[in-house]
Amino acid sequence: MTTSTASAATRQPTGASVNIPPRRLDFEFPETMKRYYYDDSPFLSSFLTTLSALFPEGESFFVESVRAYRDQITDPVLRAQVSGFIGQEAMHSKEHAAFNEAATRMGYPVTQQDKELGYLLRFGQKFLPKAVQISITTALEHYTAIIAEMLLRDPDVQQKFSPEMRQLWMWHALEENEHKTVAYDVYEQVSGSYLLRAGTMIPVTAIFFAVVAINHTRMLAADGKLTNFKDNWNGLKYCWGGKKGVFSRLLPQYLDYFRPGFHPKDHDTDALLHEWREKLFGADGTLSAQLKKTSGKKKATKTAVAA
Ligand SMILES: [Fe+2]
Ligand SMILES: [Fe+2]
C-alpha cells in the first residue's frame, strides 16, 4: 500500500464527506428589504419571522443535547454526521440571527422572544435528564424535517417568498433534510426507548404550538395587524385549511413518528436533496457565488491567523 493510500484509508470521515457539509454563508438583510416577504401577507410573513425568532436559541439547544453524547459515539460515520449537524445548525443560528436583527429594526419583538425561549430552554437543560433533552431534539428535528421537505417539494410555497428570503429558507430546508437522521441515530444509540421518544413528542407538540401561537400573536400586535381579520383568516386557512393546508396536510408524516419502527430515512428525500444541492450550490447554483466568497474569506482569515 502506498503512503497516500494508507493515509486515505485512515483518514476520518468529515461532515462534508458524509453529505452534511456545514456551508458558511453570509446573507444580507438590508433596511430596504420587503417587510411582508411571504405572499405580501402580514400574517404569513410574521409567522415565518416567529419561527426565525426561535431558531438561534432552539438550534443551540439541539446542538448541546447532541454534543453531550459525542464522546460516547464510536462509529466514525455517525461521529462525522454529528460534526456536520453541529456545524450546520450553528450556521443556521448565525444567519437567522442576522435576519432577526433586521426584523427587530422593523419593530418586531424578536429579541424579547429569543430571550424568553432561552430562559425556558436553560431551565430544561438544568432540570431535565440528558436523555429527555435529546428526545426533545429528536422530536423537534422531526418537525423541521417534514416542514423542510414540504418546502423543498412544493413550488407554489417556494414562489410566494421574496427572492432573498427564499434563498435563506431553501438553504435551511436543504440542510435540515441533509442532517435529519443525526439526532435520531444518536438517540437510538444512547437511549433507544420507544416510550420516551413517542411520549416526549406529545408535550413537545403542545409547548411548541403554544409558544408559536403566543409569539405570533405578539408579532401581529406589534405590527398593528391583529385586527386585520381578512389576511389573518386567509393565512390561517393557508396553513391549516384541511387537506390543502400547508401544515395540516403534513399530519400523516407527523403521526408516522409514533410508529415503533419509525426512522427519518423512511421519508426518502435523496433525489430531492440531489436536486436542491444542484439548484443552490451546483455550477449555476443560486448560492454558489456567495458560498465561494464566504469560504474564501474564511480561508484568508485562517492564513492570516497562521501567519
Ligand atoms: Fe437548522
Ligand atoms: Fe436541524
Side-chain angles (χ1 to χ4, degrees):
M1 196 186 275
T2 65
T3 317
S4 63
T5 322
S7 67
T10 52
R11 204 179 294 142
Q12 291 297 314
T14 60
S17 71
V18 293
N19 273 333
I20 308 180
R23 303 176 180 91
R24 191 180 186 83
L25 294 167
D26 198 7
F27 290 98
E28 283 176 13
F29 305 101
E31 304 257 341
T32 50
M33 73 171 283
K34 208 171 168 188
R35 184 178 187 86
Y36 302 126
Y37 55 83
Y38 191 86
D39 204 23
D40 295 318
S41 162
F43 181 92
L44 295 171
S45 306
S46 60
F47 172 75
L48 290 165
T49 300
T50 304
L51 293 183
S52 182
L54 301 176
F55 287 141
E57 286 288 351
E59 298 196 310
S60 66
F61 175 88
F62 297 172
V63 164
E64 291 312 316
S65 69
V66 170
R67 204 201 302 268
Y69 288 108
R70 182 142 77 166
D71 291 345
Q72 292 179 35
I73 299 161
T74 48
D75 174 16
V77 172
L78 186 54
R79 278 181 78 93
Q81 289 176 329
V82 166
S83 298
F85 167 83
I86 291 173
Q88 287 192 338
E89 295 294 31
M91 289 300 125
H92 301 166
S93 289
K94 174 181 161 293
E95 294 309 312
H96 278 274
F99 167 72
N100 292 348
E101 273 178 33
T104 302
R105 287 197 299 272
M106 290 179 200
Y108 290 106
V110 176
T111 313
Q112 186 59 25
Q113 296 185 4
D114 185 43
K115 235 190 236 170
E116 288 164 4
L117 182 70
Y119 295 143
L120 178 72
L121 294 176
R122 272 185 283 286
F123 180 82
Q125 284 173 323
K126 199 165 176 194
F127 294 106
L128 295 173
K130 295 219 175 314
V132 175
Q133 292 182 41
I134 195 169
S135 71
I136 293 172
T137 296
T138 307
L140 286 168
E141 280 284 283
H142 182 60
Y143 267 105
T144 56
I146 63 176
I147 293 172
E149 184 181 342
M150 176 272 289
L151 266 179
L152 296 173
R153 281 197 198 282
D154 192 333
D156 186 54
V157 173
Q158 293 152 21
Q159 56 95 6
K160 286 185 163 61
F161 279 99
S162 66
E164 71 275 14
M165 290 303 282
R166 188 182 306 124
Q167 302 276 52
L168 172 73
W169 283 88
M170 299 316 292
W171 159 68
H172 196 164
L174 167 72
E175 294 193 351
E176 284 306 319
N177 267 270
E178 283 180 329
H179 70 230
K180 69 178 179 179
T181 57
V182 180
Y184 189 97
D185 286 340
V186 173
Y187 174 79
E188 283 296 293
Q189 194 164 320
V190 298
S191 164
S193 158
Y194 167 73
L195 277 182
L196 177 61
R197 172 169 72 76
T200 302
M201 182 53 118
I202 296 163
V204 162
T205 296
I207 294 168
F208 177 66
F209 274 76
V211 168
V212 171
I214 292 167
N215 286 357
H216 187 200
T217 306
R218 292 162 70 196
M219 291 279 188
L220 287 168
D223 204 13
K225 300 292 181 191
L226 258 187
T227 51
N228 198 356
F229 297 118
K230 194 173 172 217
D231 182 58
N232 293 348
W233 176 246
N234 285 339
L236 276 172
K237 263 198 312 191
Y238 179 77
C239 294
W240 299 107
K243 281 184 185 164
K244 284 191 177 163
V246 288
F247 296 121
S248 45
R249 70 182 190 219
L250 300 179
L251 188 65
Q253 281 163 279
Y254 165 72
L255 290 174
D256 203 24
Y257 189 80
F258 293 95
R259 189 165 44 82
F262 166 80
H263 189 275
K265 265 252 178 249
D266 298 344
H267 301 171
D268 184 1
T269 47
D270 286 354
L272 193 64
L273 287 181
H274 180 72
E275 181 190 329
W276 275 96
R277 279 187 194 115
E278 274 308 300
K279 277 184 181 168
L280 297 179
F281 300 106
D284 298 316
T286 52
L287 287 172
S288 297
Q290 192 190 137
L291 182 64
K292 221 170 165 185
K293 206 167 119 193
T294 46
S295 312
K297 260 191 214 166
K298 200 176 147 199
K299 267 182 209 150
T301 316
K302 270 190 185 166
T303 315
V305 169

